[in-house]
Amino acid sequence: MLERFYPDHEADSAYGIDYRGFYERGFRGLIFDIDNTLVPHGAPADKAAREFFAGLREMGFGTLLLSNNKEPRVKSFADDVGAQYIFKAGKPGGKGYRKAMERLGTVPETTLFIGDQLFTDVWGAKKAGILTFLVKPIHPKEEIQIVLKRRLERIVLYFYHRQKKAGQ
């Protein structure tokens, strides 16, 4: 039952994933969460984020930011990094993910999702058939509803890591 929340991959940071390897395997679209995935919650795009997205575009990827946040937050970040965006995405519902792939011109088999939350980011992407990366949150300070979800995530991740270790 908990497997529906399990990420396909984990990484310490969205910036440390082998994107070139995924490109060589045929992936062409990258969908990212913003807050605590790319920058601390509410922070603007920084130089590292701008350079990161420029490198992804140069590699040949289409990029899109998928956020439950309001348009002013998402649009300003997307404009700064040169990515497409969808605001008030309704994660973990699948509609936003499908719309993102449509905009990117990709299908689940050629799309990768990167986010920091199991119950919105990962679960929604998995429901849409997209390969997922769960990254560690950038900053520990979060809104209370996210803090409560993080406690539940720890339980799910405990069983995920236990199952993963048993499978090795």
Side-chain angles (χ1 to χ4, degrees), residues 41 116-117 142-151:
H41 187 79
D116 70 301
Q117 292 187 52
E142 297 180 298
E143 297 170 344
I144 188 65
Q145 71 271 17
I146 296 173
V147 170
L148 297 173
K149 282 195 269 185
R150 294 280 187 215
R151 291 181 182 172

Side-chain angles (χ1 to χ4, degrees), residues 56-161:
L56 294 172
R57 280 191 305 278
E58 189 176 299
M59 216 179 289
F61 280 110
T63 57
L64 187 139
L65 304 172
L66 187 69
S67 176
N68 285 344
N69 222 316
K70 295 177 182 169
E71 188 171 22
R73 164 70 176 139
V74 182
K75 182 183 184 326
S76 67
F77 196 95
D79 288 348
D80 283 349
V81 299
Q84 297 181 66
Y85 70 93
I86 296 173
F87 66 99
K88 289 189 179 179
K91 296 185 288 184
K95 185 178 179 182
Y97 295 90
R98 289 188 297 275
K99 187 175 180 182
M101 287 187 285
E102 184 180 308
R103 286 194 187 170
L104 290 168
T106 61
V107 294
E109 296 78 20
T110 61
T111 308
L112 187 63
F113 182 87
I114 302 92
D116 70 301
Q117 292 187 52
L118 285 180
F119 301 130
T120 52
D121 298 331
V122 170
W123 187 27
K126 287 181 72 82
K127 288 193 295 186
I130 300 170
L131 194 71
T132 61
F133 258 96
L134 176 69
V135 297
K136 292 181 180 171
I138 290 175
H139 195 276
K141 187 176 184 214
E142 297 180 298
E143 297 170 344
I144 188 65
Q145 71 271 17
I146 296 173
V147 170
L148 297 173
K149 282 195 269 185
R150 294 280 187 215
R151 291 181 182 172
L152 295 172
E153 283 182 353
R154 280 197 293 271
I155 296 166
V156 173
L157 287 171
Y158 167 81
F159 288 105
Y160 166 70
H161 290 130

Side-chain angles (χ1 to χ4, degrees), residues 16-77:
I17 296 168
D18 177 18
Y19 294 100
R20 182 157 311 282
F22 282 99
Y23 190 85
E24 289 169 0
R25 288 175 41 200
F27 287 81
R28 294 299 181 263
L30 301 173
I31 304 171
F32 291 91
D33 176 54
I34 301 171
D35 289 321
N36 252 349
T37 296
L38 296 168
V39 293
H41 187 79
D46 56 16
K47 182 180 179 190
R50 289 189 295 276
E51 290 174 355
F52 173 64
F53 275 82
L56 294 172
R57 280 191 305 278
E58 189 176 299
M59 216 179 289
F61 280 110
T63 57
L64 187 139
L65 304 172
L66 187 69
S67 176
N68 285 344
N69 222 316
K70 295 177 182 169
E71 188 171 22
R73 164 70 176 139
V74 182
K75 182 183 184 326
S76 67
F77 196 95

